[in-house]
Amino acid sequence: MPSLTAADTIRILVATDSHVGYSERDPIRGDDSWKSFDEVMCMAKDEDVDMVLLGGDLFHENKPSRKSMYQVMRSLRMNCFGDKPCELELLSDASEIFEGAFNHVNYQDPDINVAIPVFSIHGNHDDPSAEGHLAALDILQVAGLVNYFGRTPESDNVQVKPVLLQKGHTKLALYGMSNVRDERLFRTFRDGKVRFFRPETQPGDWFNLMTVHQNHHSYTDTGYLPENFLPDFLDLVVWGHEHECIINPKFNPEMSFHVMQPGSSVATSLVSGEAVPKHVAILTITGLDFRVDTRRLKSVRPFIMKEIVLSEERGVKALAKKENNRTEITRYLEGIVDGLIKEAKADWLHVQGDQDDDEEREVPLPLIRLRVEFSAPDGGRFEVENPQRFSNRFVGKVANLNDVVQFYRKKSSIARRQLKPGELPDPQVLAQLALENVRVEKLVREFLAAQSLTILPQNSFGDAVSQFVDKDDKHAMEMFVNESLANQIKHLLAMDQRNEDELQTAMEQYRSKLEELFAAGQLRKKRPKLKPRPENWDSDLDGEWADQPGALMLSEHDDEEENDGPPDRQPPPATRGRGRGRGRGRGGSARAKAPAAATKRRGAAATQGSRIKRQAEEEEEDEDEDEHDKHADEDVIMLDEDDEEEEPPPRSTRGGGRKTATNTASTTSRAAPATKRTSARAAAAAASAGRQSRLNFSQATSTRSQALGGRTARNTRELSADEISDDDDDIEDDDDDDAFEPVSSSRSTRRRR
């Protein structure tokens, strides 16, 4: 091979776990994540690298906010677009690597000018979800900002195909494997269902670079990815997901490749691993050789962590025998925290480098964590203050106002006794557990091992808790419990009738079956169904609608009940008349009033009874009326005199009886006997029959109808409206009167005579 020059060198900026959007609602730390990511992208432009490689968790959530998406897209566009031609040549079939509508690398798109391409896999925080199985990286790829590769559509059948790139005489095979649940990926590797593809031509001339996003350490027996699971032909592995910065590559003699762990660019937890200074790497590849140059990030908020043992501190060791020593201990700890604050500020100024004398930089508030082991010697006691109250003493001095100090006791050397079923661990044992040092899956498994679960599957339980804690899935536990209970009930109902002992055994057997299905990867988790988001909901101010407790649809019938209302309020056929639309359909209110208006003409007793029934119906429909009041004019349908003239002769023979019938505004007449009071519900049921029938009125009604037979239909309607508005003001609300036209005073006087 001829001697290689700068034209044969590929320079890659490597970073992982940007977590853009972390604590974005925090008034102090809300902008930390996107500022550090912006620094990384600006560094890529300043260093004039050939490409950027991101190892997952670009976003802290798989549904990033508009602010997070905006900041990422802004940084990518400002630093990656330009007129400089990209010197990387793509040799592999892009359609096999990049899915979606734009299945090619972005720097080969003729419509955009990409100077520095970005290649990224997804992590466990920004993984694909919801309908379409799309990730936030899919949006960036469609926008031409990122090349999203390393997808794992099938977690039990993983195929890893490389992106083949070449610059001069240097050939790069870039492998990527996005995040898969660790236990499932461990089983997939163990079963030999992970397949790596290699270039067929000159396989020994390629530099093989791979990036993964999995647990690097064995927190549990199968909850990590062992390095010896990866193929030995790799040259360098970039390991994401672990936040501790181990930027210098370490050689694995068993597999003959190097492993580099860049860590996160923002502190997402107050542990010792996050206190390590944050770096990114400039990877230089020339032929089969590589070199790593580290760059420390300057925009990262300073973080200092210290751990002390009170029984070994000279200043407080003697206080163990003294009563009421809380004040002295608190004062001593305050002095330590003040010293850590000064140290953090000095370190931050040192990282910024030289500056002009006239320029005074504002040092960001630091993150401080003081872990205090307060186990006292025999016969003594250390009284400590409430951690949150102690932390609030440093308002305006630190960024983490509620967790500056962490108190814990030394673990007891006595062997743990076996817990009885249903028994909780001792409070002292629970106090020794620090959430930062305990894996959720392991903690849940140890706790559930001492319980006697009958309905809930243990491994699914642990997965739901992990989704709730790690991915901040607000509905994970609720969905798991509801689904487990529903499955058990469905299973028991399908069984034959048995005694109580047999049911108990059947439930345990079904639970064991669900655990086996989940372990085998055959039990699919249902996606939560959400209620429609309110129109006035602002995601930036109120948070994501999907995260709200009331957004989850608990059953399949919730949506039907919200949209359709109670079963007895089915909308009847469309009608014509003066009534306004309500929960029963258009004209439903008028139909409810018509029988009452008719019976009022028959006597005072009948009128009073109708009013009581009508009032009860109106109280049930108050909520529906309020929604339609402002549209009352649109819902009113008037019947013109021309329509009356076109009526066939049989309908005109009803004469004055139309005074009462026309108030119903219906094309379907209802029979109303003179001696029987008809309620609104009975009238609606009769209307649903859809058949016309002749009205049969009493003697008094017929006589009065004949006396008014010469009047027009429109005047008759006004009379009925006047009767209802004048006589029913004590019961009907004002909005009902708007559906009828006012009558003249002379007309009212004639009726009263």
Side-chain angles (χ1 to χ4, degrees):
M1 180 179 292
S3 60
L4 301 178
T5 62
D8 305 312
T9 301
I10 301 177
R11 302 181 72 243
I12 307 173
L13 188 144
V14 180
T16 63
D17 297 271
S18 299
H19 285 274
V20 176
Y22 173 75
S23 295
E24 62 181 345
R25 298 185 183 279
D26 190 299
I28 300 177
R29 306 165 61 185
D31 296 334
D32 289 359
S33 58
W34 70 261
K35 285 183 177 180
S36 60
F37 174 76
D38 184 66
E39 181 187 0
V40 172
M41 300 313 301
C42 291
M43 186 182 301
K45 184 177 182 180
D46 296 338
E47 294 284 347
D48 194 22
V49 298
D50 294 303
M51 58 176 283
V52 176
L53 178 61
L54 302 179
D57 279 355
L58 172 58
F59 294 99
H60 186 67
E61 298 178 356
N62 58 9
K63 294 179 292 184
S65 65
R66 284 176 286 184
K67 176 183 177 181
S68 299
M69 183 63 72
Y70 166 79
Q71 294 295 350
V72 169
M73 298 180 73
R74 181 189 63 83
S75 296
L76 290 173
R77 180 168 180 175
M78 292 181 63
N79 297 286
C80 296
F81 284 10
D83 296 333
K84 187 194 79 168
C86 182
E87 300 180 12
L88 297 176
E89 181 183 359
L90 180 67
L91 302 180
S92 57
D93 186 0
S95 61
E96 296 182 357
I97 308 298
F98 308 105
E99 301 178 1
F102 302 91
N103 54 356
H104 55 265
V105 288
N106 59 350
Y107 63 86
Q108 291 184 348
D109 195 317
D111 298 326
I112 55 178
N113 293 329
V114 178
I116 304 176
V118 178
F119 293 83
S120 177
I121 63 174
H122 75 251
N124 61 310
H125 281 264
D126 54 2
D127 56 336
S129 62
E131 185 177 357
H133 202 64
L134 297 175
L137 292 178
D138 285 297
I139 300 177
L140 299 180
Q141 176 169 312
V142 170
L145 300 172
V146 165
N147 299 295
Y148 176 25
F149 76 113
R151 290 178 171 87
T152 52
E154 299 181 40
S155 58
D156 54 353
N157 184 21
V158 179
Q159 296 183 354
V160 185
K161 297 181 179 181
V163 180
L164 303 181
L165 303 171
Q166 183 174 358
K167 180 182 179 182
H169 292 89
T170 299
K171 300 178 180 179
L172 173 64
L174 178 60
Y175 294 85
M177 185 172 62
S178 296
N179 177 263
V180 180
R181 200 167 67 88
D182 292 289
E183 291 80 6
R184 182 168 298 175
L185 185 62
F186 188 96
R187 182 176 62 252
T188 306
F189 267 101
R190 183 189 58 195
D191 297 341
K193 296 183 179 181
V194 179
R195 183 182 178 186
F196 287 82
F197 292 79
R198 299 188 64 183
E200 296 181 355
T201 59
Q202 301 175 340
D205 295 342
W206 295 85
F207 184 88
N208 300 289
L209 172 64
M210 182 174 185
T211 177
V212 298
H213 193 96
Q214 304 292 151
N215 283 336
H216 199 183
H217 305 288
S218 56
Y219 299 104
T220 61
D221 296 337
T222 60
Y224 73 112
L225 176 62
E227 292 183 3
N228 57 9
F229 276 10
L230 300 177
D232 56 1
F233 64 80
L234 297 175
D235 297 296
L236 177 64
V237 178
V238 176
W239 212 288
H241 184 63
E242 299 288 351
H243 284 203
E244 183 178 2
C245 182
I246 308 177
I247 196 67
N248 296 316
K250 291 185 176 181
F251 181 71
N252 186 328
E254 179 185 358
M255 305 304 298
S256 300
F257 56 65
H258 289 79
V259 178
M260 179 175 60
Q261 183 176 301
S264 65
S265 58
V266 62
T268 59
S269 59
L270 302 180
V271 295
S272 57
E274 296 276 18
V276 179
K278 305 295 185 181
H279 292 79
V280 295
I282 304 295
L283 175 63
T284 304
I285 303 174
T286 305
L288 298 179
D289 299 327
F290 73 94
R291 185 183 76 252
V292 173
D293 299 319
T294 62
R295 301 287 188 273
R296 183 169 180 179
L297 299 178
K298 299 181 179 181
S299 62
V300 178
R301 186 178 297 276
F303 175 28
I304 299 293
M305 181 174 180
K306 185 176 182 179
E307 185 171 354
I308 64 173
V309 180
L310 287 183
S311 60
E312 299 177 1
E313 296 291 322
R314 294 182 179 180
V316 294
K317 184 176 182 180
L319 297 177
K321 304 294 183 179
K322 181 181 178 180
E323 296 183 359
N324 300 325
N325 54 16
R326 177 178 299 178
T327 303
E328 291 85 349
I329 294 176
T330 301
R331 187 181 303 113
Y332 179 80
L333 297 179
E334 285 182 3
I336 296 179
V337 173
D338 289 334
L340 295 177
I341 294 175
K342 295 179 181 179
E343 180 183 351
K345 291 183 177 180
D347 181 68
W348 189 86
L349 292 174
H350 174 72
V351 172
Q352 306 308 312
D354 298 334
Q355 59 179 354
D356 299 335
D357 297 336
D358 297 337
E359 181 183 359
E360 182 178 355
R361 299 189 180 183
E362 181 181 357
V363 181
L365 298 179
L367 298 171
I368 302 297
R369 168 53 68 93
L370 178 63
R371 299 189 75 237
V372 181
E373 195 271 291
F374 67 105
S375 300
D378 296 339
R381 180 183 180 185
F382 289 120
E383 297 182 2
V384 295
E385 193 174 6
N386 178 272
Q388 185 172 359
R389 186 181 301 113
F390 177 86
S391 302
N392 293 152
R393 296 173 181 266
F394 302 96
V395 174
K397 297 181 179 180
V398 298
N400 52 319
L401 302 177
N402 297 319
D403 48 8
V404 172
V405 67
Q406 179 187 20
F407 297 107
Y408 71 99
R409 295 182 182 274
K410 182 173 57 177
K411 293 183 178 180
S412 177
S413 59
I414 303 177
R416 293 184 179 180
R417 62 184 180 87
Q418 187 67 25
L419 296 177
K420 298 179 180 180
E423 183 180 4
L424 294 175
D426 295 334
Q428 294 183 354
V429 175
L430 294 176
Q432 296 173 4
L433 300 178
L435 291 180
E436 294 89 347
N437 301 326
V438 178
R439 300 296 299 177
V440 175
E441 298 88 347
K442 183 178 180 181
L443 180 63
V444 173
R445 186 174 66 254
E446 291 179 354
F447 179 78
L448 295 181
Q451 313 303 315
S452 56
L453 296 179
T454 304
I455 299 178
L456 304 179
Q458 178 176 329
N459 48 10
S460 302
F461 199 125
D463 180 69
V465 176
S466 177
Q467 295 287 329
F468 178 80
V469 175
D470 293 339
K471 295 189 176 182
D472 199 23
D473 187 351
K474 301 295 191 304
H475 305 303
M477 293 300 301
E478 186 176 6
M479 287 290 298
F480 163 71
V481 173
N482 291 339
E483 184 177 352
S484 299
L485 293 178
N487 290 338
Q488 275 285 9
I489 294 175
K490 184 177 179 180
H491 174 67
L492 294 178
L493 292 177
M495 296 172 53
D496 297 335
Q497 186 176 2
R498 301 181 181 181
N499 55 38
E500 184 176 352
D501 296 336
E502 293 179 346
L503 291 178
Q504 183 75 14
T505 304
M507 287 190 295
E508 294 179 355
Q509 292 177 351
Y510 186 70
R511 176 184 58 81
S512 302
K513 180 181 177 181
L514 292 179
E515 292 179 350
E516 295 176 358
L517 293 176
F518 183 84
Q522 301 178 4
L523 189 61
R524 300 293 182 182
K525 184 174 64 173
K526 294 183 179 179
R527 297 170 182 170
K529 294 183 179 180
L530 303 178
K531 298 177 182 178
R533 185 178 64 178
E535 296 180 357
N536 59 348
W537 188 269
D538 192 330
S539 299
D540 287 341
L541 297 178
D542 305 326
E544 288 291 338
W545 169 248
D547 295 338
Q548 305 304 313
L552 183 64
M553 190 176 298
L554 300 180
S555 64
E556 298 178 355
H557 304 288
D558 286 355
D559 189 40
E560 299 178 0
E561 293 179 359
E562 287 187 359
N563 296 335
D564 299 340
D568 61 338
R569 292 194 177 186
Q570 298 297 330
T575 57
R576 301 172 59 191
R578 299 177 182 266
R580 89 179 72 237
R582 294 182 181 172
R584 298 173 180 268
R586 178 169 294 183
S589 177
R591 287 194 302 270
K593 298 176 183 178
T599 54
K600 180 180 63 177
R601 300 289 304 275
R602 301 187 195 105
T607 302
Q608 183 65 23
S610 300
R611 288 181 179 178
I612 295 175
K613 293 183 179 181
R614 186 169 63 253
Q615 183 178 7
E617 291 293 327
E618 290 292 331
E619 290 176 354
E620 294 179 359
E621 299 174 356
D622 279 343
E623 296 181 358
D624 295 332
E625 290 182 25
D626 294 338
E627 297 179 0
H628 294 278
D629 282 342
K630 58 184 179 181
H631 304 294
D633 295 336
E634 299 177 2
D635 293 338
V636 174
I637 301 177
M638 302 302 296
L639 187 62
D640 296 332
E641 294 181 0
D642 296 338
D643 295 337
E644 292 294 330
E645 295 175 359
E646 296 176 0
E647 295 286 345
R651 298 187 63 176
S652 61
T653 57
R654 281 179 280 182
R658 193 176 287 113
K659 289 188 303 180
T660 306
T662 54
N663 284 331
T664 62
S666 175
T667 57
T668 58
S669 302
R670 294 180 298 276
T675 59
K676 183 178 181 179
R677 295 188 299 244
T678 307
S679 65
R681 183 170 299 178
S688 61
R691 302 295 182 182
Q692 292 185 351
S693 59
R694 299 179 63 85
L695 296 178
N696 184 16
F697 295 95
S698 62
Q699 180 69 23
T701 305
S702 301
T703 305
R704 301 187 65 177
S705 300
Q706 294 176 2
L708 299 175
R711 297 173 184 171
T712 62
R714 184 174 183 85
N715 292 336
T716 304
R717 286 185 189 277
E718 295 176 356
L719 176 61
S720 299
D722 182 63
E723 290 177 351
I724 295 177
S725 59
D726 288 344
D727 298 338
D728 295 345
D729 284 344
D730 56 338
I731 296 178
E732 302 294 337
D733 53 8
D734 295 336
D735 294 336
D736 291 338
D737 298 338
D738 297 338
F740 301 93
E741 297 181 356
V743 298
S744 59
S745 57
S746 60
R747 180 68 175 157
S748 301
T749 305
R750 187 182 302 110
R751 282 290 298 117
R752 293 190 181 94
R753 289 200 299 267

